[in-house]
Each structure stands twice: as structure tokens, then as C-alpha cells.
């Protein structure tokens, strides 16, 4: 069997789909994308196709290393996201060809279903209490919210008070048993994070995510020691080597690699195993589409340290189309009582409606994240 073609589609709301085809009719799907840079990643995929066409798709580890090492320059969000979608598609293809789900190729499942969480409150968090209560009524036992809108590097304590009040509102709405993830989104700089992290402690967060931007993670030793709840990060780290350095630092309790950004299932598996050696939990990042979610569930299936999975159904970014729209059988990723069953079909276990992808790709997208500014006109972290 030889790879013959890589096809890509930009599809709403902000996704990129990839299909790898072979001379024997077998195929696999993946999702290589950086939110807001879909066209750039798409170009990288087609550049990398030169290394793939004519090759045996079953040699996944060899092809991964070819894509990562042969180009000399390596790492970073664009290249690793392109590799990630290709890797997902190769695993999907191999599972389809052998007639088994990907998790069987990775050693077999340690669980049958995965606990899930949902989002509430939007980019600038509001009405979090009502939103959280609605999610609990739908069966979720955990949810995530943005902790704060934009915040200056040194801001008023009033901004801290407002953020704490929103979390207090959410906690009061759902009670003590529901998990609350609070995403700082890298918006909070070291001087303000010192105060905000500690003032959230009475509300017992399930975790605080991206407590500072990834380039400032070393400061957590000084500002977050002794906290009584977990810290999480990893969506903007792209290789096992970045995670190695993070884990060795000892300040993070939950890693959140994104399987469309960190080199796919192959690299995600290595990252998860590395985290387990430090007794650190796994909660893959996934505000994306059905293929990223399916790939994440297969990693969760074989990773004993996985404890919860993000998903983006109904998230505020998903305008015009949502996660399940592109599936022929939407029940495969259905969430019931806050859990999603691990897909058991061959490959990733989801069947993409290619005709619908073609139709929606005619609309396409040019999604960009908001550009925020502070009152003085300087750029704020989104």
C-alpha cells in the first residue's frame, strides 16, 4: 500500500480537515489546525506531502520522524499541528485497514468511557452561574469558564475581586461536588496572578488553567507554591521536550496537550507516558472538531493518568457548524451523564460525511481570534 494523495478542506467554524488516500482505496482522516492559522497549517501539510506520497502509510513512527527530523527546522505550532493532523490520519488509516480501533493498536483500553466537561460564560465571562447550572442539568459533573477578561500586567484589585466573585457565583450555583476549571488563558501576568491564584482557593477549583502565559511558566515556583488545588497547562506546548522541562520543574499537576497541535497521537502518547512518570494527570485540550476529539478519546483510552476530557460542543466559537455536524453517525460522540464512550469502530471510530465537508468548504472560514486592547491602546492578551 502506498500513499497517493493528501486532500484538505477549510470548514466552518474554524477547522481544517485532512484525508490521506492510498492506491488500495484505504484512507484516513485527521484535523491539522491552529485556531486562526488554518491556511498556514494547510500550506505546511501540502509541503510535508512531498515526504509522504509513495510511502507505506503503516510505518507511522518512521513517517513521523521523517516529518519531524528531515526538514532540519522543527517544532513550533505550525509544523507540529501539520504533523499532528497527518499522524491522526495515519492512525485512522491503519486502524481501518486492520479493522480495529486505534486504542487497540496502542495497547488496549484501560477504560470504557471518559468523563467530559463543557464550557460556559464566553470569552469575557458572564452569566456563569446560570450557564453552569444548565450544564449540570444536562448531566455534566464538571465545566470550565474563563476566569477574567483582559487584565493589565499590574491592575486594580477590583479586577481580582470581580474574577473571584464570578467563581463564587458559579460555585454557589452548582454546589460543592461539581468540578470547576478556571482558565486564566494566559491573560493574567505574574504580579496579578500572585493575588488571584490565592484568593480563588476557598472555592476549591478543579484546576486553574494557563495561570500565566507559557513563556512565563518558570515564575510559578515563586508565585504558586503551596496552593491547595491543581494547576494545569500545555495547550501551547508542542513537543515532548517542552513537556519534559515543564514536568521536571514540578509546578504543574495536570498537562493539557492538544492532539491537533502537539504532533498528534504518536507524540501525545509519549507526552502522557512522560507525565505519568511524574504522577501528573492528563486532560487533553480540545476546543476543536470531531477528529481531534476522537483522537483525544483514543489517547484517554490507553492513558491511566487521563482524568477528564475537554470538548467543544456548543462552545461560543462554533458558529454556523458544530462538532457533530460533520459525522455520518452522530451518536458515536454522544455525551450521556457527563461521559462519552470510547469509539469502538475501526480507526478513530468516526465516519466523516465527506460530501458535507465538500459543501461547507465552499463557504470556508477566515476565523481570527479577537484582538483586545487595554484602555491605553496597548495590546492585551486574549
Amino acid at each position: 500500500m502506498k500513499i497517493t494523495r493528501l486532500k484538505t478542506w477549510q470548514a466552518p467554524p474554524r477547522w481544517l480537515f485532512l484525508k490521506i488516500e492510498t492506491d488500495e482505496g484505504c484512507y484516513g482522516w485527521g484535523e491539522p489546525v491552529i485556531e486562526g492559522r488554518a491556511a498556514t497549517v494547510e500550506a505546511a501539510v501540502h509541503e510535508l506531502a512531498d515526504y509522504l506520497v509513495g510511502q507505506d502509510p503503516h510505518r507511522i513512527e518512521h513517517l513521523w520522524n521523517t516529518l519531524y527530523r528531515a526538514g532540519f527546522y522543527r517544532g513550533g505550532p505550525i509544523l507540529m499541528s501539520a504533523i499532528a493532523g497527518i499522524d491522526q490520519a495515519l492512525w485512522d488509516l491503519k486502524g481501518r485497514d486492520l479493522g480495529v480501533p486505534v486504542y487497540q493498536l496502542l495497547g488496549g483500553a484501560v477504560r470504557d468511557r471518559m468523563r467530559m466537561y463543557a464550557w460556559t460564560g464566553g470569552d469575557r465571562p458572564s452569566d456563569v452561574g446560570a450557564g453552569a447550572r444548565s450544564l449540570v442539568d444536562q448531566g455534566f459533573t464538571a465545566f470550565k469558564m474563563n476566569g477574567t477578561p483582559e487584565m493589565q500586567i499590574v491592575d486594580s484589585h477590583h479586577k481580582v475581586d470581580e474574577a473571584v466573585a464570578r467563581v463564587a457565583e458559579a460555585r454557589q450555583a452548582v454546589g460543592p461536588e461539581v468540578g470547576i476549571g478556571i482558565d486564566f488563558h494566559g491573560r493574567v501576568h505574574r504580579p496579578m496572578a500572585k493575588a488571584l491564584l490565592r484568593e480563588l482557593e476557598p472555592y476549591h477549583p478543579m484546576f486553574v488553567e494557563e495561570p500565566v502565559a507559557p513563556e512565563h511558566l518558570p515564575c510559578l515556583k515563586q508565585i504558586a507554591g503551596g496552593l491547595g488545588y491543581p494547576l494545569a497547562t500545555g495547550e501551547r506546548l508542542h513537543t515532548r521536550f517542552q513537556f519534559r522541562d515543564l514536568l521536571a520543574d514540578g509546578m504543574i499537576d495536570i498537562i493539557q496537550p492538544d492532539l491537533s497541535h502537539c504532533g498528534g497521537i504518536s507524540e501525545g502518547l509519549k507526552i502522557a507516558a512522560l507525565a505519568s512518570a511524574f504522577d501528573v494527570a492528563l486532560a487533553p485540550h480540545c476546543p476543536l472538531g470531531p477528529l481531534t476529539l476522537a483522537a483525544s478519546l483514543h489517547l484517554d483510552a490507553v492513558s491511566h493518568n487521563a482524568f477528564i476530557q475537554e470538548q467543544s460542543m456548543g462552545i461560543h466559537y462554533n458558529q454556523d457548524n458544530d462538532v457533530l455536524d460533520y459525522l455520518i453517525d452522530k451518536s458515536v460522540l454522544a455525551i450521556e451523564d457527563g461521559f462519552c464512550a470510547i469509539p469502538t469502530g475501526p480507526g478513530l471510530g468516526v465516519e466523516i460525511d465527506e460530501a458535507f465537508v465538500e459543501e461547507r468548504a465552499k463557504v470556508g472560514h477566515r476565523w481570527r481570534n479577537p484582538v483586545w486592547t487595554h484602555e491605553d491602546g496597548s495590546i492585551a492578551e486574549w
Side-chain angles (χ1 to χ4, degrees), residues 51-116:
Y51 299 93
L52 297 168
V53 172
Q55 299 299 311
D56 177 359
H58 282 274
R59 298 184 67 190
I60 297 174
E61 188 68 16
H62 173 68
L63 293 176
W64 194 100
N65 277 281
T66 301
L67 299 177
Y68 182 77
R69 300 177 188 280
F72 187 72
Y73 295 99
R74 57 188 67 169
I78 301 303
L79 290 175
M80 295 307 290
S81 296
I83 292 172
I86 292 168
D87 182 81
Q88 292 170 12
L90 291 173
W91 281 108
D92 187 39
L93 189 157
K94 187 166 188 171
R96 289 174 182 274
D97 189 40
L98 299 177
V100 295
V102 166
Y103 68 77
Q104 292 288 20
L105 301 175
L106 302 177
V110 300
R111 56 176 56 84
D112 302 317
R113 59 182 189 151
M114 191 66 192
R115 186 186 179 201
M116 312 294 284

Side-chain angles (χ1 to χ4, degrees), residues 9-290:
W9 299 265
Q10 292 186 44
R14 54 178 188 164
W15 303 332
L16 180 69
F17 293 124
L18 162 68
K19 185 182 183 185
I20 295 180
E21 298 178 338
T22 68
D23 59 356
E24 295 186 11
C26 198
Y27 60 87
W29 287 85
E31 200 171 323
V33 69
I34 277 284
E35 301 92 301
R37 299 291 182 267
T40 312
V41 177
E42 185 175 33
V45 167
H46 289 290
E47 286 186 326
L48 293 173
D50 293 346
Y51 299 93
L52 297 168
V53 172
Q55 299 299 311
D56 177 359
H58 282 274
R59 298 184 67 190
I60 297 174
E61 188 68 16
H62 173 68
L63 293 176
W64 194 100
N65 277 281
T66 301
L67 299 177
Y68 182 77
R69 300 177 188 280
F72 187 72
Y73 295 99
R74 57 188 67 169
I78 301 303
L79 290 175
M80 295 307 290
S81 296
I83 292 172
I86 292 168
D87 182 81
Q88 292 170 12
L90 291 173
W91 281 108
D92 187 39
L93 189 157
K94 187 166 188 171
R96 289 174 182 274
D97 189 40
L98 299 177
V100 295
V102 166
Y103 68 77
Q104 292 288 20
L105 301 175
L106 302 177
V110 300
R111 56 176 56 84
D112 302 317
R113 59 182 189 151
M114 191 66 192
R115 186 186 179 201
M116 312 294 284
Y117 69 85
W119 267 90
T120 191
D123 262 346
R124 288 189 168 99
S126 61
D127 298 325
V128 292
R133 185 67 254 170
S134 174
L135 292 173
V136 172
D137 290 343
Q138 294 171 45
F140 287 99
T141 60
F143 66 91
K144 188 163 76 178
M145 57 181 282
N146 275 313
T148 178
E150 59 268 55
M151 185 175 278
Q152 274 280 18
I153 187 168
V154 175
D155 215 319
S156 70
H157 204 277
H158 178 64
K159 289 279 188 73
V160 173
D161 290 340
E162 287 182 332
V164 172
R166 280 188 292 271
V167 175
E169 174 191 346
R171 176 56 75 200
Q172 183 176 18
V174 300
E177 299 300 320
V178 173
I180 303 178
I182 306 166
D183 193 352
F184 282 15
H185 220 249
R187 297 171 183 171
V188 186
H189 296 266
R190 171 180 173 147
M192 304 309 298
K194 290 170 65 174
L196 186 52
L197 286 168
R198 299 197 183 283
E199 297 213 16
L200 290 172
E201 202 155 19
Y203 303 98
H204 305 295
M206 180 173 63
F207 57 77
V208 164
E209 178 175 333
E210 282 205 314
V212 291
E215 57 264 40
H216 301 308
L217 286 170
C219 80
L220 291 179
K221 283 183 177 179
Q222 288 76 43
I223 69 173
L227 285 176
Y229 58 83
L231 297 179
T233 198
E235 69 189 71
R236 289 190 271 183
L237 304 180
H238 306 107
T239 68
R240 79 195 84 150
F241 310 110
Q242 291 176 300
F243 280 95
R244 173 197 63 194
D245 298 339
L246 173 71
L247 291 163
D249 202 44
M251 286 305 302
I252 290 295
D253 309 291
I254 303 164
I255 59 162
Q256 300 170 304
D258 188 308
L259 294 199
S260 280
H261 302 337
C262 76
I265 294 169
S266 296
E267 188 75 346
L269 188 67
K270 297 176 178 70
I271 291 166
L274 185 62
S276 72
F278 289 86
D279 204 22
V280 167
L282 171 70
H285 180 254
C286 185
L288 292 167

